[in-house]
Amino acid sequence: MGKTVNVQQLIAEKKSSRNFLSVFEKLIPKLLLLIATVSILTTIGILFTLLTETFEFFRRVPLLDFFTGTVLRPLSQEPQFGVLPLIMGTLLSSIIAMFVAIPIGLMTAVYLSEYASERIRKTLKPLLEVLAGIPTIVYGFFAFTFVTPILRSFIPGLELTNILSPGIVMGIMIIPMVASLSEDAMSSVPNSMREGALALGSTKLEVTSRVIIPAATSGIIASFVLGISRAIGETMIVTIASGSSKNFTFDITQSMQTMTAYIVEVSSGDAPAGSTIYYSLYAVAMTLFVFTLVMNLLAQYISRKYREEY
């Protein structure tokens, strides 16, 4: 004889299962909300730490002296903490990088989006992704041991550590980012716009320059700004190849130091906790945080502005 099943038991089990699922469905949104707030809480924690330590630094060093000083000598008997040499090094290296990354990245994106066949596109895009996956410390040694000697053969006055070589290599590193984001923006332009322009007698070059690029401007500009943010925040390349000389100069052949390289130098050195040099680490980090935040906000603003226009 098979086991008899009571209908009431089946109904009770069904209700129990349904109650469990109902409770589980109510918990899922709260769990997802908790996970989503982790990044926000992390950002708040980082910002709180930077602000508290930065305020302590500015209790010891005047704010005006920090942002207008052209001399940075944290280890001298009479230390000076002017951040302008670091800002100059960061800006020069980023400008050089974008002079390399923007034209090459944009032309690569144009070729992949408008001219390359499907087979070539499937070959080149993975190669760009491999270029983006190379560790930055490898780029740093590449700049120091390969690019700098080549540049010194053409520029005799170029120092062994300089800001030109890491700037060029940073540009090479950023090319995949600019090319990929710009290519995505161009590929998202409707084919009807291409076909309409071609039907009016436009050449392929005219369609690309007068229709596709203007229509994809929001994504292209955003890729440029994000590339600049990436260059500003780069650490290992400039730490290895640009040197540690805190020079305030426009001469790109000289050794200079960026904000990220200074942070590495101080955090890995002998600066005791609680000293002014130690707190200067957080002041420079806060300045770098503001730089990257402004660039990201600028990218979002430009992207929205051009998206509305086109």
Side-chain angles (χ1 to χ4, degrees):
M1 296 290 294
K3 184 178 180 181
T4 60
V5 179
N6 192 337
V7 175
Q8 292 182 346
Q9 291 179 347
L10 289 175
I11 295 174
E13 291 177 359
K14 189 68 175 178
K15 288 183 177 180
S16 176
S17 175
R18 185 174 298 172
N19 290 335
F20 173 77
L21 290 175
S22 177
V23 173
F24 185 72
E25 289 179 355
K26 291 179 180 179
L27 289 176
I28 284 296
K30 297 179 180 179
L31 179 62
L32 294 176
L33 177 62
L34 178 63
I35 295 173
T37 56
V38 169
S39 60
I40 299 175
L41 294 176
T42 303
T43 304
I44 293 174
I46 293 172
L47 188 59
F48 175 77
T49 303
L50 287 177
L51 286 174
T52 53
E53 304 295 347
T54 301
F55 285 148
E56 178 60 31
F57 173 77
F58 286 126
R59 288 178 57 188
R60 307 182 182 192
V61 177
L63 182 69
L64 188 63
D65 291 350
F66 180 73
F67 284 109
T68 61
T70 59
V71 179
L72 179 59
R73 295 174 182 169
L75 297 175
S76 65
Q77 293 183 348
E78 296 181 359
Q80 295 176 277
F81 292 95
V83 78
L84 285 183
L86 302 181
I87 293 178
M88 180 60 67
T90 302
L91 291 179
L92 285 179
S93 62
S94 301
I95 291 171
I96 295 170
M98 297 318 295
F99 268 111
V100 175
I102 287 178
I104 298 177
L106 182 58
M107 292 303 102
T108 302
V110 169
Y111 176 73
L112 289 175
S113 175
E114 304 302 318
Y115 292 94
S117 63
E118 188 65 25
R119 189 165 70 92
I120 295 177
R121 188 181 296 110
K122 288 182 179 179
T123 303
L124 285 181
K125 288 211 74 173
L127 290 177
L128 284 174
E129 293 172 359
V130 169
L131 190 65
I134 297 176
T136 56
I137 191 170
V138 176
Y139 279 114
F141 283 110
F142 173 72
F144 182 72
T145 61
F146 183 79
V147 177
T148 298
I150 293 177
L151 292 177
R152 294 187 76 185
S153 64
F154 295 99
I155 309 174
L158 189 69
E159 296 184 5
L160 184 61
T161 55
N162 55 83
I163 205 65
L164 177 60
S165 175
I168 293 174
V169 175
M170 276 198 300
I172 296 173
M173 179 192 66
I174 296 169
I175 287 173
M177 174 187 292
V178 175
S180 179
L181 294 177
S182 298
E183 193 269 336
D184 290 342
M186 294 179 189
S187 297
S188 64
V189 177
N191 284 328
S192 59
M193 297 180 66
R194 295 179 175 87
E195 295 168 356
L198 291 171
L200 291 173
S202 301
T203 63
K204 189 74 171 177
L205 180 59
E206 289 174 336
V207 172
T208 302
S209 60
R210 298 184 181 182
V211 177
I212 304 304
I213 292 180
T217 301
S218 62
I220 293 173
I221 297 298
S223 72
F224 294 167
V225 179
L226 291 175
I228 295 173
S229 298
R230 180 69 180 85
I232 290 174
E234 173 52 37
T235 303
M236 293 310 302
I237 297 176
V238 290
T239 300
I240 295 172
S242 68
S244 59
S245 299
K246 302 161 181 61
N247 295 322
F248 180 72
T249 177
F250 291 94
D251 187 358
I252 59 176
T253 64
Q254 293 189 20
S255 174
M256 300 179 70
Q257 192 172 49
T258 65
M259 289 186 281
T260 52
Y262 178 80
I263 292 171
V264 172
E265 179 187 10
V266 174
S267 60
S268 60
D270 298 327
S275 63
T276 306
I277 303 175
Y278 170 80
Y279 287 119
S280 71
L281 164 70
Y282 292 94
V284 173
M286 189 66 194
T287 306
L288 182 63
F289 177 84
V290 172
F291 262 73
T292 54
L293 177 63
V294 169
M295 295 305 300
N296 290 330
L297 293 177
L298 181 62
Q300 294 180 6
Y301 169 76
I302 293 175
S303 180
R304 285 197 305 267
K305 181 177 182 295
Y306 280 97
R307 190 178 295 117
E308 292 171 358
E309 291 182 0
Y310 291 98

